[in-house]
Amino acid sequence: MKRRKFAALPAPPAAWVEARARSTRAWQRLAPREQRMLTLAGVVVLAALLWLVAFEPAWKSVNTLQHRLPQLRAEAAQLDSILVEIRELQAGTTGGTLTTAEVPPALADSLRRAGLEAYTSINQTSPESWEVSLHEAPVAPVLDWLQTLPFELRLNTPVVALARSEGPEGQVLAGRFSGHIVVNLPEGGA
């Protein structure tokens, strides 16, 4: 096997070599106590520089974001309600509640739009009440659907009973819900 020959690094400039030699001689002339003090001062300066350059900007960013996050969430909620209102205006469904005959297809349609159709079933439990059963439904779409349900369909949700889904061997399925949600028409709805 051939050995590779590495190119030698170029020699540093003569001024650097001379400066290093001078600093080494000056360091050796110092007493051990002075060497320790200068080493300690160097560590303190390095720590301060590290704090100012690396940690403090990140610390300030985190604190700023912690203060702004609730405000941004409130703004996002306002935008969500405006988007729901826009959808209602485009669909022409504003101004009233659904009738009992309109609720099951409207529920099925909203579940389909949320991507939950395959995980749910709808059963009417009383003349003005329906139960939406969920089986291993993904968490994010369920929560998004629940958030828009009162605005989109004008339905109340008196019961929301959800739990983490479990697999056949009892292990928890990450990011999955099972349970049921009861929805009904508001007072004086139908």
Side-chain angles (χ1 to χ4, degrees), residues 36-52:
R36 283 191 303 269
M37 286 180 15
L38 281 175
T39 302
L40 181 63
V43 168
V44 168
V45 168
L46 184 62
L49 188 61
L50 184 64
W51 171 261
L52 289 173

Side-chain angles (χ1 to χ4, degrees), residues 132-152:
V132 178
S133 298
L134 296 140
H135 181 69
E136 297 180 5
V139 172
V142 170
L143 295 178
D144 290 342
W145 178 74
L146 278 173
Q147 184 179 5
T148 61
L149 188 63
F151 304 108
E152 190 176 318

